[in-house]
Amino acid sequence: MIWNPSVVLLVEDDRLDAELTLNAFREGGATCRVVHVSTGEDALDYIHARGGYADRATFPFPDLMLLDLRLPGIDGFDVLREVKSSPGLRRLPVVILTSSKEEGDRATGYDSGANSYLVKPVDYAGYLDVVARIRDYWFGLNVLPPAPGGEGQ
Amino acid sequence: MKTRPLTIRTLLLLVVLAAVVPLGGFAVAGYLRSKVLLGKLAAAYSSDVAATMAMLTDGIVRDTQDIAARLASDPRIVSLDPVLCAKTLKEFHRLEPQFGNLVVIDRSGKYVAAADVTTTSPPIWAQGRGFFEQMLQTTGPTVSRAFQGRLTGQWTIMLGHPLPGTPPPGYVGITINLLRLPEVLMAEVLRSGTVVTLLDSQGTILFRSVDGKTFVGRRTPDADLIRRAMEKQSGTLETKGLDGIARHFGVVPIKRLGWLVIVGTDLDPVLGMVRWELLIGLVTALLAMLAVGGIALVLAQRIANPVRALARVAHDAIVSGCAARATLRGPAEVRQVALSLNTLLDARDRLVRDLQESEWRYRSLVEISPDAIFVNRGGKVVYANPSLVRMLGASSDAEVIGKTPFDLIHPDSHAMVRERIEEHLLAGERVGMVEERYMRLDGSAVEVEVAAAPFQDKGETAIFVVARDISARKAAEREILEAKANLELRVADRTADLDAFTYSVSHDLRAPLRGIAGFAGILHRRHLHELSEEGRHFLGNVIEAAARMGRLIEDLLGYSRMGRGSIQVVPVPLDAVFSPLAREFSGRIQEQDGSLRIPEGLPVVEGTQTLLCQMFANLLDNAIRYARPGVPPRIEIHCRREGDHVILSVADNGMGIPEVHLGRIFNMFQRLHPEEKISGTGIGLPTVRKAAALLGGAVWVDSIVGEGSVFHVRLKGVPGS
């Protein structure tokens, strides 16, 4: 049995935040493969296997999307809505990872179908903790949905 | 009935008349009295004289009858011898010449003898026949009626006496010429004006002392005097005599003969004197009246003239307003009045002048007043000052005067004004400043502030109205309100802006902070061993600084996030706020051996869970943070009610706050201790204040340095909790 590592699509425009997150995942072992895109367009391209991400072999459909809300251009909510309104994509668990604790963002996020809402930690220790918990919950406790038919894989 | 008042002259003349006329009256009365008295005297006198005359007459008749009787018994006569008888009779006649004739008659009526043959006629007198028969039948003396002698034509009476014997053989007769009676009777001199009349039983006049010839022998039964005298037979009469002259008569009868003596006294001569006196009296009275009247007239003039002059001066002074004054003349009382009048006129002139000055003052005041003033009398504007004319956009007061006030007042205000007029002004009350709307001549409205007062104007109630144009003020008020609203909006906007700014800045600051803290953390985790001691120290500093910044940003975010969007207050039980807080802080408190006491049965207040938690979390945090070194923090929560409010107090036994700083600690970023000693962001208390304000409450502090602080929070209570 080829055990495929879980693919996490990290949608984050801030280089530093992304680096911290990637580092945190790396420290946790190789059980997750994190793909990083910095724009909403790239995120959608990846999900739709468009553009530079057409190759599913290289760029497999993610098991989890970590989505920052504030993105230049197409923002996190647009991506979220696109995903959650497409029959072939909506199964994808989307975990919002944002610095905003705002009630409004939370409401919109959940209303738009986000599976979870996390607040970015303030320091590296926090990142380690959050990443470990994400792994533990989403890939440990949580049972992932079956792969969608149609578009995607 | 109105009668014209009498002038002084008339009055005085009336007085004079009243004095003098009685004088005349007395004179006349006196005269009349005299007349009556004299009448009575005259009557009395007449009666006296009549009585005397009666007596005399009776005496004469008796004497004559005695003589006849003596003769009848004289033997010479008894012999009936004609010669003897004649001799005797003649002898007797010589002795008693007063008789007319003495005769002897025999039974058949024939003459026997006569004293005066010439006067006797042949044996039978025509007139004497009856008498003769009568004589023949009696035995006593007889008196005949008056008759006119046939020969002489003179009125005569005969007294007869029979000769002795039954039947008498003859008679003696003595005749008396009536016209000669006066000689017999006029023993006394009668007073002039007195008339004596003798009537026989038939009413024939036997004798009249005056004008005897005319009257003797006549019968005048129709004459008032004769008729009444015959009727009365005795007493007094006042009537005209036979000659037409009025007299006072006395009537006395000679009963024996059946004759009547009437004596009349004419008063005229006497009255003439009295009348003369009366005339003198009346003339005197008249003269007196004239004299006194003349004096009275003069007097009247002396009084009336000055008085009239006074009246004229008064009239002129009041009607024509001229400055004349009364001259002091006339009697003292009139002078007094003139003086008083002058004083009064002077006073009046002063008063008029003062009044005019006062009126001018007030008129000027009203005219120049910048407030509009008008007078409403009888429902019409009777006066309008220039400011009112201007305010209404008229060109002169003629366009305003005559209109009703309601023409000038905007219909919106009509009802209110009507009520004010009817209920207050007409009842005499002043009405204070009230806002109304007036209407200009062109129909546009002008807002005014109005005061009005009623006053009496020639018996009618009129109203003074002062109206101040407040449209500018009103516009300013509206602007201010607008500006205020605007300002509040802008302030809200600004605050919102500020909050938004603070929020976004804080939010955006988080990202780079993550970078700093995050990678410093990675460094610390993975590459610490590669650093020198110094390097490690510096890295520690970086991490600490980042951590502090993180806290600052969180607090700022929390502060700026408060109140974004409207707060929906709900009743929140304070128990539900403090229980989680107590749990949250229990760790830290226990670490320091401290205690937190929260009373039971905390009330319900208006607010939101979030704000209330934030508020008290900050206060509890402070209470722990600022504990005295070495002294375990003891925190107590107190609660009391004040009317509708609830006051929560967080009391600690910490280091306290100096009084001078009590005001500052609620300011943003204001700290009293350096970061190294006690960490803190300086945002905690401002957050508490902002939260309290958002909930309509307040926060304040009491503190004593070295003992502790009590932070009080006033919140709106929910009744019934």
Side-chain angles (χ1 to χ4, degrees), chain B residues 444-481:
Chain B
S444 59
V446 52
E447 278 148 324
V448 290
E449 206 173 30
V450 176
F455 65 98
Q456 289 303 313
D457 184 20
K458 301 181 187 69
E460 212 182 321
T461 302
I463 301 170
F464 252 128
V465 182
V466 180
R468 179 171 295 173
D469 186 342
I470 55 169
S471 18
R473 189 180 88 188
K474 278 280 185 209
E477 273 177 23
R478 277 194 286 271
E479 263 180 42
I480 287 175
L481 281 169

Side-chain angles (χ1 to χ4, degrees), chain B residues 199-203 230 233 253-261:
Chain B
L199 297 177
D200 74 3
S201 53
Q202 314 294 317
M230 296 284 288
Q233 291 289 306
I254 307 177
K255 290 222 171 68
R256 200 173 63 85
L257 304 169
W259 288 2
L260 226 52
V261 178

Side-chain angles (χ1 to χ4, degrees), chain A residues 3 6 12 29 41 45 53-54 72 75 79-80 87 90 92-93 96 98 109 114 117 124 128 131:
Chain A
W3 175 69
S6 314
E12 171 63 64
E41 287 91 351
D45 282 348
Y53 302 101
D75 76 1
V79 174
L80 175 60
R90 65 157 76 99
L92 173 61
I96 292 174
T98 183
Y117 191 105
Y124 189 60
L128 286 173
V131 163

Side-chain angles (χ1 to χ4, degrees), chain B residues 453-534:
Chain B
F455 65 98
Q456 289 303 313
D457 184 20
K458 301 181 187 69
E460 212 182 321
T461 302
I463 301 170
F464 252 128
V465 182
V466 180
R468 179 171 295 173
D469 186 342
I470 55 169
S471 18
R473 189 180 88 188
K474 278 280 185 209
E477 273 177 23
R478 277 194 286 271
E479 263 180 42
I480 287 175
L481 281 169
E482 245 182 79
K484 196 166 149 224
N486 262 350
L487 199 67
E488 294 201 344
L489 266 172
R490 285 216 299 272
V491 166
D493 275 351
R494 275 298 167 80
T495 315
D497 284 350
L498 210 59
D499 279 351
F501 174 74
T502 313
Y503 177 78
S504 59
V505 163
S506 309
H507 192 273
D508 291 348
L509 283 172
R510 272 219 211 115
L513 184 62
R514 263 199 303 279
I516 298 168
F519 287 101
I522 295 181
L523 265 178
H524 191 272
R525 198 176 158 79
R526 294 191 200 157
H527 302 282
L528 202 60
H529 57 275
E530 294 168 34
L531 286 171
S532 66
E533 176 108 13
E534 198 185 56

